[in-house]
Amino acid sequence: MDCTRVPLTVPTRAPTGKTAAYCLGTDEALLVDPAAVTDDLDALLADRTVAHVAVTHHHPDHVGAVEHYASAHDATVWCRYGRGDEFEAATGVVPDRTFVDGTTIPTGDGDATVVDLPGHAPEHVGFRFPDDTTGTDAYLVGDLAVAAGSVVVGAPEGDMRAYVSSLRRLWARNPDTLYPAHGPVIADPRETCARLITHRRDREGRVRDAVHDGARTVAEITDAAYEKDLTGVRDLAEATVVAHLEKLAVEGRVRWDGTEATPS
């Protein structure tokens, strides 16, 4: 199956300033994450028939042109089962169909299979498809992974336990290629998943140590857990710290009840 990537400039906190839309297939294709209406995306789709539109998750930098392209191509709009209201609120579109892990979306060039990859957002999914470039299955992974840097997993939507579990499941599948929403295509999926897991484990250790060393508030824990200037991204860092604290509390490794750390 052909996989064509079109980076779109959108308001996003991602360092690239872009979100990649993907078109899977050329006939009765699946369009994923149409974040904006652009000439480049219009030109690509002018030579194809689009039968389906879906998103990896509902964040604003992924959904901005769902309504436009679904209407323009009379395409079936899909969303995660049980998340229809949130999808409609984010996109302005009532979904036509819903999917779960393992659902296949047919294109004229083969099936794309939904893969649950929660963590960055509760409804986050990816799509597995046969990649013409490598001749093996590849994964379109949204905001699960990036080739460099890390992914924000911030409370209240972000779930750190689910995120790390999603990375581990993807590592176990051992794909050849990952197609992310931000940054370049990932040609070393296992190494990237392992790097992101290690990064989360290291940050988690810093958060845990900060609490055990006496930090109580989210601001204090964030100051102790990050050794860099957080100007412009402090809100994201604090949301990530909360997600780490929630994971540690569930696992019984910190008390997130005011005895040690204080929710606020």
Side-chain angles (χ1 to χ4, degrees):
M1 182 186 296
D2 178 78
C3 174
T4 303
R5 167 190 175 94
V6 182
L8 309 173
T9 300
V10 294
T12 177
R13 302 293 292 274
T16 62
K18 298 178 183 292
T19 297
Y22 287 92
C23 189
L24 300 182
T26 57
D27 179 44
E28 301 294 299
L30 167 63
L31 177 63
V32 180
D33 287 352
V37 178
T38 71
D39 291 343
D40 287 344
L41 190 51
D42 286 345
L44 170 70
L45 300 181
D47 296 328
R48 307 183 180 212
T49 57
V50 177
H52 310 280
V53 176
V55 298
T56 55
H57 61 297
H58 305 161
H59 287 172
D61 59 335
H62 289 253
V63 305
V66 168
E67 184 174 20
H68 173 84
Y69 286 110
S71 176
H73 294 271
D74 193 25
T76 297
V77 177
W78 296 74
C79 85
R80 183 68 173 82
Y81 177 79
R83 300 287 178 175
D85 289 346
E86 295 95 325
F87 181 89
E88 182 181 358
T91 65
V93 179
V94 177
D96 301 303
R97 299 191 63 180
T98 59
F99 51 61
V100 296
D101 185 56
T103 297
T104 57
I105 299 178
T107 79
D109 302 301
D111 291 342
T113 302
V114 177
V115 180
D116 270 346
L117 297 173
H120 175 72
E123 74 282 357
H124 196 292
V125 301
F127 299 90
R128 186 180 79 245
F129 62 95
D131 190 354
D132 285 352
T133 303
T134 63
T136 60
D137 281 353
Y139 288 76
L140 195 165
V141 296
D143 284 4
L144 178 77
V146 287
S150 61
V151 172
V152 173
V153 184
E157 281 197 333
D159 183 322
M160 196 64 69
R161 297 185 81 207
Y163 176 70
V164 173
S165 293
S166 291
L167 287 171
R168 287 174 173 155
R169 288 196 303 274
L170 192 58
W171 181 94
R173 290 171 181 254
N174 194 22
D176 284 336
T177 310
L178 303 181
Y179 291 91
H182 306 291
V185 173
I186 297 168
D188 56 350
R190 272 199 156 180
E191 291 84 350
T192 296
C193 288
R195 175 181 62 80
L196 291 168
I197 292 168
T198 298
H199 172 73
R200 284 292 149 223
R201 183 173 62 242
D202 291 347
R203 182 72 67 207
E204 180 177 284
R206 291 177 180 272
V207 170
R208 182 195 61 232
D209 290 347
V211 173
H212 291 171
D213 289 343
R216 291 291 176 266
T217 66
V218 171
E220 291 171 347
I221 297 165
T222 301
D223 288 339
Y226 284 82
E227 295 179 346
K228 62 180 181 181
D229 182 8
L230 296 175
T231 301
V233 295
R234 186 173 182 91
D235 60 325
L236 300 180
E238 291 191 353
T240 299
V241 164
V242 172
H244 275 297
L245 287 166
E246 290 173 345
K247 177 177 182 292
L248 288 164
V250 167
E251 295 168 355
R253 293 190 287 155
V254 301
R255 298 186 67 176
W256 178 225
D257 59 2
T259 306
E260 287 184 331
T262 301
S264 62

